[in-house]
Amino acid sequence: MTDAQETAADSSLRTTGGAPPDDGLASEGLPTPLLEPRDGIPPVIADEESLAAVIAAYARGTGPVAVDAERASGYRYGQRAYLVQLRREGAGSALIDPVACPDLSGLGEAIGDTEWVLHAATQDLPCLREIGMVPSRIFDTELAGRLAGFPRVGLGAMVEGVLGYVLEKGHSAVDWSTRPLPEPWLRYAALDVELLVDLRDALEKELDRQGKLEWAHEEFDAIASAPPAPPRKDPWRRTSGMHKVRRRRQMAVVRELWTARDRIAQRRDVSPGKVLSDGAIVEAALALPANAHALAALPGFGHRMGRRQLEQWQAAVDRAKALPDAELPQPGQTVSGPPPPRSWADRDPAAAARLSAARAAISSLAEGLNMPQENLITPDTVRRVCWEPPAQVDADSVASALAAHGARHWQISQVTSPLVAALS
């Protein structure tokens, strides 16, 4: 039994009805369904007076704060939060409606110096930042699970494997912009933060046992201090099926249709895929239809699409067809850094040999440390160092190169020696 599982066996967590679990159930590998929050489902906070009370309660609370957010991916435009869930010792659980209370900076300030416990923090931090919630310290239970070598790191799998409880996950992909939110969804949302701090405590003990706790703290600090991601350049190039589009004129059609769709989706606040599918955009780009009638015959532009809609999409196609050659997009994106590894053998056989040796060394090291290779060191960093190694390959120069590419101190200490051997 790991230290994490011992923590679960000793815990005083509650299941349905507030009764403690049978002694030893978690340690025996018999998971207990967790069907109800220990304090019941909290009311949804949707006014400033109630929000002020929550802020005061959380400011008085003690210990880490469990934080989660629900979005409406696939239903609404963008990645805004539609529900924020929190739990803290001494304050209980809270469910906050960020549509009714769009400025949560007061709450963010009240708990800003406290450690926030999140699962897959990089998914939630952008939408939390939009409503004024920015942590100074975090503990990411998903990343902790990866570093500790757990094979499955979803929240449900981690809670079951570490704490011995089964979370109901049937509402993870619902439309959280729905108002009012149904009670079963609210129960699910409250349960998502019910055990986060317990999971954090168990994982901290396990990481400490493995000698990886300081590594985890470095990773958490890097996430908390990372600036917002810059806007993606040419996002239309990520259209699914884009690999089929070869000619520049066809690429221009994708760009025009993608831009028109994005504008409509933003105005209507719906997911772009509900306006027009990626598949339909690619079909139109490949066919270059002459008119709306020809467009209607293509997959994705079927009989249920009105004449006015067909004409607006055809207008986008016509704009692309009318562009002068000088304004057509170039094939492929301008990419900084090394070329795709598949071309290395032809372009630079020595670099290809370095990369092969480096990958084998990193794979062996990651296996010995019981963690995914990409958490030990990012594949992009390995490629960059192998494509353009230091002029003089030694421990100091390789460590400096790794640091320049954003590697953390613990990563540098682990991978420098095997990379020096691979680059030599």
Side-chain angles (χ1 to χ4, degrees):
M1 188 189 306
T2 66
D3 281 4
Q5 290 166 325
E6 288 174 1
T7 299
D10 293 340
S11 69
S12 58
L13 304 175
R14 298 293 184 259
T15 56
T16 308
D22 294 334
D23 288 342
L25 197 59
S27 61
E28 292 174 7
L30 301 174
T32 301
L34 192 67
L35 304 178
E36 196 73 25
R38 67 191 86 177
D39 303 321
I41 304 173
V44 177
I45 303 302
D47 62 81
E48 294 302 320
E49 183 178 353
S50 301
L51 178 60
V54 166
I55 292 173
Y58 273 76
R60 293 192 303 267
T62 59
V65 181
V67 183
D68 191 23
E70 304 295 348
R71 300 176 298 280
S73 303
Y75 298 93
R76 295 289 183 176
Y77 185 87
Q79 294 295 316
R80 68 171 295 183
Y82 283 94
L83 187 70
V84 175
Q85 309 103 278
L86 305 99
R87 182 171 181 83
R88 190 179 194 188
E89 185 70 28
S93 295
L95 303 178
I96 302 175
D97 180 357
V99 177
C101 302
D103 181 7
L104 298 186
S105 57
L107 176 61
E109 291 170 5
I111 60 173
D113 294 332
T114 302
E115 181 188 84
W116 296 17
V117 184
L118 303 102
H119 192 81
T122 54
Q123 296 181 20
D124 287 340
L125 288 178
C127 69
L128 290 170
R129 183 182 287 113
E130 289 180 359
I131 53 179
M133 295 185 65
V134 182
S136 58
R137 293 185 294 132
I138 70 163
F139 190 105
D140 186 335
T141 50
E142 185 204 45
L143 181 51
R146 291 180 184 277
L147 295 175
F150 285 87
R152 297 166 59 226
V153 293
L155 180 59
M158 292 292 292
V159 166
E160 182 174 344
V162 176
L163 301 178
Y165 290 84
V166 178
L167 290 177
E168 194 277 310
K169 299 296 290 182
H171 304 300
S172 60
V174 298
D175 181 3
W176 287 96
S177 68
T178 301
R179 292 297 183 273
L181 286 164
E183 182 176 296
W185 299 12
L186 297 175
R187 180 181 295 107
Y188 158 88
L191 288 173
D192 259 7
V193 292
E194 181 81 2
L195 301 181
L196 264 183
V197 173
D198 301 276
L199 181 60
R200 171 235 180 269
D201 292 344
L203 289 172
E204 182 180 60
K205 288 184 66 176
E206 181 65 17
L207 288 168
D208 191 38
R209 186 187 71 81
Q210 296 184 23
K212 298 175 180 176
L213 185 56
E214 289 305 314
W215 303 0
H217 286 159
E218 277 196 60
E219 293 298 305
F220 302 157
D221 289 345
I223 293 173
S225 62
R232 181 173 279 127
K233 184 181 180 183
D234 293 344
W236 59 270
R237 291 184 184 270
R238 296 177 63 87
T239 302
S240 180
M242 189 69 191
H243 63 281
K244 303 175 187 176
V245 181
R246 306 287 187 181
R247 292 156 49 194
R248 294 174 63 199
R249 185 71 59 185
Q250 294 172 331
M251 292 179 188
V253 172
V254 173
R255 183 175 63 186
E256 289 291 335
L257 284 171
W258 188 98
T259 302
R261 178 185 70 173
D262 193 68
R263 188 165 52 246
I264 295 168
Q266 187 171 14
R267 185 178 71 243
R268 291 169 50 188
D269 189 21
V270 297
S271 169
K274 291 187 175 295
V275 176
L276 187 68
S277 70
D278 280 10
I281 290 177
V282 171
E283 289 290 342
L286 296 176
L288 296 174
N291 51 49
H293 180 74
L295 182 68
L298 299 176
F301 297 93
H303 62 279
R304 285 192 287 181
M305 186 172 288
R307 180 73 183 178
R308 184 176 177 181
Q309 290 177 292
L310 285 169
E311 288 176 349
Q312 76 178 357
W313 300 129
Q314 184 61 40
V317 173
D318 291 341
R319 286 195 298 272
K321 290 166 69 174
L323 286 174
D325 289 350
E327 296 181 21
L328 296 177
Q330 295 296 326
Q333 290 176 283
T334 302
V335 179
S336 62
R342 62 179 177 272
S343 67
W344 286 28
D346 293 329
R347 297 182 59 173
D348 190 338
R354 290 193 294 266
L355 181 62
S356 178
R359 282 174 164 173
I362 296 300
S363 176
S364 176
L365 181 59
E367 185 176 351
L369 292 171
N370 191 28
M371 70 170 63
Q373 296 179 45
E374 62 270 20
N375 291 114
L376 175 58
I377 190 74
T378 67
D380 181 68
T381 297
V382 175
R383 287 193 295 269
R384 288 173 183 269
V385 172
C386 289
W387 183 252
E388 292 184 352
Q392 168 127 13
V393 175
D394 55 34
D396 289 341
S397 63
V398 171
S400 295
L402 290 169
H405 293 307
R408 258 70 78 186
H409 294 300
W410 76 268
Q411 294 175 316
I412 294 171
S413 69
Q414 293 296 315
V415 307
T416 293
S417 292
L419 282 182
V420 167
L423 295 174
S424 300

